[in-house]
Amino acid sequence: MTKLLISRGFQAIFTLWLVSMVVFGSVHLSGDPAMAMTPQGASAEDIAVMKKKWGLDQPLPVQYGRWLAGVLQGDLGTGIRHNLPVWELIQPRLVNSIKLGAVSMLFAIAVAVPLATVAALNRGTIWDRSAMAFGLAGQALPTFWVGLLLVMFISVRLRLLPVAGSGTWQHYVLPAFTMSLYMSAGIMRLLRSALLEVLDSEFVKLARAKGVSEFWVIWKHAMRNALIPVVTFSGFMLGTAIASAISIETVFVYPGIGLLTFEALHDRDFPLIQAIVMISSSIMILLNFLVDVAYGLLDPRIRNQ
Amino acid sequence: MNDTSSNLAPAATRAHRLRARVKSMPVFALLIVAVVVLISIGADLITQTVIPKPEAIDLRFRYTPPWPMDGSSATHLLGTDQLGRDLLSRMIKGAQTSLLVALTCIFIAASAGTLLGLISGYWGGWVDTAIMRLVDAMLAFPAILVALVLVVTVGASFGMIVFTIAFLMWAPFARVVRGEVLSVKERNFVALSRIAGASAPRVLFFEILPNIINTVVVMATLQVGSAIVVESSLSFLGAGIPPPEPTWGNLVAEGRNVMDSAWWVSTFPGIAILLVVLSFNLLGDWLRDTLDPNLRTL
């Protein structure tokens, strides 16, 4: 287990370093950030002052070193547009996004687990086929488009829920539902096929032969094993969740980190963009690390590899 | 995953198996893919002759509703946008762009991923470790966010977008191909080929690759849908192929603010994305059940 922790830990740090290189590189090699930051038609002196102020007159490795040293000490820099430490801009938005993500995850699990169980237990029936249809459609729907349709029908036409913004529980319903579609479709398909495989295995037959009730066979013996691929998948799913958060939060004008990303890209606020990417990546890498560890805890074979 | 192959009787002949596979072919999905591919190839021909040109502006016909609604015209079957441009024509042109982007980046991602997977699995050692650590890293950070930043900072162009999406998608190919190579390279014909003096590239491309190409094709088909969704999301966020060049994503974005009065501008391109992605996914599922050697009933 210790060995697993150490190797995964190193991998996590390596990944984060790679991300920092790509992000820093894309911002600084793609042209002069000073040019992008100053208004059009600014004089050469203005640009020079700007460069001096942001340290852009230094060689690239020096700039990278300074930036990285700052990040490691918790100083993510200052945003250009709002002239505030970027962490102050990001922190409240991040809290909002985590809330939205958590609600979506709950939606997804609440839909996917019962659906997958019913489908696996009634294989080949109309229930199974409906569940599969849901799974296929959920993975093919462009989320930004679903969001637009929901806003139009439920909020604008029927006036059932607020159109945009945040504050009350009603503001969570539509964005969380939209975000949960892809996740629940993915969880459902994986869990269904894992359950089918597990229900066919020797230890489930043994449990049944011992006279364990069907309820416990499913919940204790089958579900625990079928959840392993789902747990692994949840790490990848987080990546798609972060990606879809950008378009979903933009559609619903929900003040989360996704909308902040969209605004920062629009304003070409590079320190803010760098900070957002670093923070989202750290969170995802950390969660992937935890998933790997959880995987080891769930399955002793992996722990001892 | 074994759903269909396990239904087949073990004594079934090759012809029987083939017939069973063809029978379960997703005809509807295949039809949609075929139609969209044909339309994309003939896009310029169709939009220059049969229907109005995609870039033809006619302000008298702004927001004409789709046929046969009140105030519609048969010239604009799916209606028009805020500049009176024909939506159907723009969607056909958009199909060409979206499909070209998706297929090109899948081709690049699959080739790069396969090559790295072959190298990684065949040579092993530190090369393998390095490539696989890179794959793990690729799968562990929000790549699409980095892609978005890349496209916005470097500037959106066809090449940049294809490169970025390909960069997002090569890693799963490398991982799966490596796994396949590890098992194939232990087989006798590979050893014999090596004893016969074949060079490493020869063994890799002529002995090992033909045995794993099915897997690559299946994965590529399954990934086309994701590529289309990623491309349309980038377009929707304003980081895709820049307007006035229509793509399905930026057409949805254009109609965003007029959803209440001119719902068709966003709705039809969205339906197009949904249908095409769904079809590619169904086709991929079917190909996987049919081609993947691990599932074959031999």
Side-chain angles (χ1 to χ4, degrees):
Chain A
M1 197 66 200
T2 324
K3 211 179 147 201
L4 181 86
L5 278 176
I6 292 173
S7 78
R8 299 296 183 201
F10 270 114
Q11 175 71 35
I13 293 166
F14 169 71
T15 309
L16 203 54
W17 172 77
L18 208 67
V19 174
S20 80
M21 290 285 283
V22 172
V23 170
F24 187 86
S26 78
V27 170
H28 288 261
L29 294 177
S30 61
D32 198 338
M35 297 294 279
M37 276 155 29
T38 43
Q40 266 189 339
S43 69
E45 286 109 73
D46 284 346
I47 293 175
V49 169
M50 190 79 173
K51 278 192 169 183
K52 188 110 187 152
K53 187 182 167 202
W54 296 96
L56 296 170
D57 49 351
Q58 304 284 329
L60 267 187
V62 176
Q63 287 186 44
Y64 177 70
R66 278 189 183 173
W67 175 67
L68 200 62
V71 170
L72 290 176
Q73 291 162 31
D75 173 19
L76 289 156
T78 309
I80 293 169
R81 169 103 191 267
H82 300 279
N83 208 14
L84 282 169
V86 286
W87 177 241
E88 281 178 30
L89 291 169
I90 292 173
Q91 193 253 340
R93 299 294 194 96
L94 191 61
V95 174
N96 282 341
S97 280
I98 291 173
K99 281 186 200 160
L100 181 62
V103 178
S104 326
M105 198 69 196
L106 281 179
F107 272 20
I109 292 171
V111 171
V113 174
L115 210 57
T117 317
V118 170
L121 291 178
N122 303 286
R123 188 173 171 187
T125 63
I126 180 84
W127 296 104
D128 186 22
R129 266 183 258 151
S130 318
M132 287 304 282
F134 167 78
L136 279 165
Q139 289 192 312
L141 282 167
T143 44
F144 54 91
W145 179 70
V146 177
L148 283 179
L149 288 186
L150 287 174
V151 168
M152 153 136 135
F153 281 111
I154 308 224
S155 305
V156 177
R157 287 273 162 92
L158 302 174
R159 296 173 190 280
L160 290 179
L161 289 163
V163 173
S166 69
T168 65
W169 64 268
Q170 287 145 324
H171 286 100
Y172 286 104
V173 179
L174 289 185
F177 173 77
T178 313
M179 202 183 254
S180 73
L181 272 180
Y182 186 87
M183 289 195 254
S184 53
I187 298 177
M188 202 285 294
R189 290 188 74 179
L190 257 176
L191 189 59
R192 174 187 170 275
S193 65
L195 268 176
L196 280 178
E197 209 167 295
V198 172
L199 284 172
D200 201 35
S201 66
E202 297 296 323
F203 67 86
V204 168
K205 283 179 196 154
L206 178 70
R208 280 194 177 133
K210 278 196 305 187
V212 177
S213 75
E214 193 61 21
F215 178 83
W216 284 115
V217 167
I218 294 162
W219 281 104
K220 197 159 164 251
H221 297 264
M223 201 53 99
R224 186 178 159 156
N225 284 284
L227 277 176
I228 291 175
V230 179
V231 171
T232 324
F233 180 66
S234 60
F236 297 106
M237 217 156 49
L238 197 75
T240 23
I242 291 175
S244 63
I246 303 172
S247 41
I248 289 174
E249 288 179 5
T250 310
V251 167
F252 291 99
V253 202
Y254 180 88
I257 196 117
L259 187 60
L260 186 68
T261 312
F262 184 73
E263 293 164 355
L265 286 170
H266 193 262
D267 297 335
R268 304 182 79 76
D269 191 337
F270 292 115
L272 185 54
I273 294 171
Q274 284 176 344
I276 291 173
V277 178
M278 287 311 287
I279 288 175
S280 329
S281 305
S282 312
I283 293 173
M284 190 169 151
I285 291 164
L286 181 70
L287 285 177
N288 267 307
F289 174 73
L290 294 178
V291 164
D292 279 343
V293 175
Y295 201 52
L297 290 177
L298 274 176
D299 191 339
R301 284 166 299 182
I302 294 160
R303 201 184 309 159
N304 300 325
Q305 242 174 27
Chain B
M1 259 160 83
N2 266 318
D3 283 6
T4 37
S5 44
S6 57
N7 294 338
L8 303 169
T13 61
R14 207 190 168 91
H16 275 116
R17 279 203 304 270
L18 196 68
R19 213 168 299 148
R21 294 305 331 158
V22 172
K23 242 187 191 168
S24 66
M25 195 163 60
V27 183
F28 184 64
L30 208 62
L31 205 68
I32 289 184
V33 169
V35 166
V36 172
V37 169
L38 284 178
I39 282 182
S40 307
I41 295 171
D44 294 312
L45 193 71
I46 301 169
T47 57
Q48 299 301 326
T49 54
V50 189
I51 54 173
K53 290 178 182 149
E55 67 278 357
I57 295 172
D58 192 340
L59 292 176
R60 289 172 304 166
F61 295 113
R62 296 177 71 218
Y63 295 130
T64 307
W67 191 80
M69 280 174 67
D70 285 344
S72 67
S73 86
T75 337
H76 303 294
L77 279 181
L78 297 185
T80 62
D81 65 2
Q82 79 270 24
L83 297 174
R85 292 174 294 193
D86 185 57
L87 187 59
L88 179 62
S89 180
R90 288 175 67 69
M91 275 175 61
I92 289 176
K93 192 76 185 138
Q96 191 184 38
T97 319
S98 297
L99 214 59
L100 194 63
V101 170
L103 294 179
T104 319
C105 45
I106 289 298
F107 180 76
I108 297 174
S111 313
T114 304
L115 188 66
L116 286 170
L118 282 172
I119 293 172
S120 189
Y122 188 72
W123 270 285
W126 69 269
V127 182
D128 182 30
T129 313
I131 294 176
M132 283 305 115
R133 287 291 82 87
L134 204 62
V135 167
D136 285 342
M138 281 303 302
L139 297 173
F141 70 89
I144 191 155
L145 186 58
V146 176
L148 194 61
V149 172
L150 266 174
V151 174
V152 171
T153 51
V154 181
S157 63
F158 181 83
M160 191 59 211
I161 285 159
V162 166
F163 166 79
T164 309
I165 302 177
F167 172 70
L168 288 182
M169 298 195 142
W170 65 272
F173 286 96
R175 176 175 281 175
V176 171
V177 166
R178 172 187 175 267
E180 296 268 312
V181 172
L182 285 184
S183 76
V184 171
K185 79 170 180 183
E186 298 304 328
R187 288 169 53 186
N188 283 340
F189 63 87
V190 175
L192 286 173
S193 162
R194 260 193 248 170
I195 293 166
S199 65
R202 198 184 155 82
V203 173
L204 272 180
F205 291 109
F206 291 92
E207 305 294 341
I208 296 181
L209 187 61
N211 283 285
I212 58 173
I213 196 77
N214 280 349
T215 310
V216 178
V217 170
V218 170
M219 276 191 82
T221 315
L222 283 169
Q223 295 264 37
V224 173
S226 321
I228 293 175
V229 170
V230 171
E231 186 275 327
S232 63
S233 307
L234 287 177
S235 283
F236 177 75
L237 291 170
I241 308 280
E245 189 71 36
T247 70
W248 288 344
N250 69 27
L251 287 175
V252 174
E254 267 175 34
R256 188 185 158 193
N257 294 323
V258 291
M259 273 302 273
D260 197 32
S261 51
W263 52 269
W264 54 90
V265 184
S266 282
T267 307
F268 290 125
I271 293 173
I273 299 174
L274 171 62
L275 281 181
V276 171
V277 173
L278 191 61
S279 302
F280 270 108
N281 288 351
L282 281 170
L283 203 62
D285 279 346
W286 175 73
L287 273 180
R288 184 191 54 204
D289 293 341
T290 307
L291 287 182
D292 199 310
N294 299 328
L295 301 174
R296 261 192 202 159
T297 41
L298 281 172

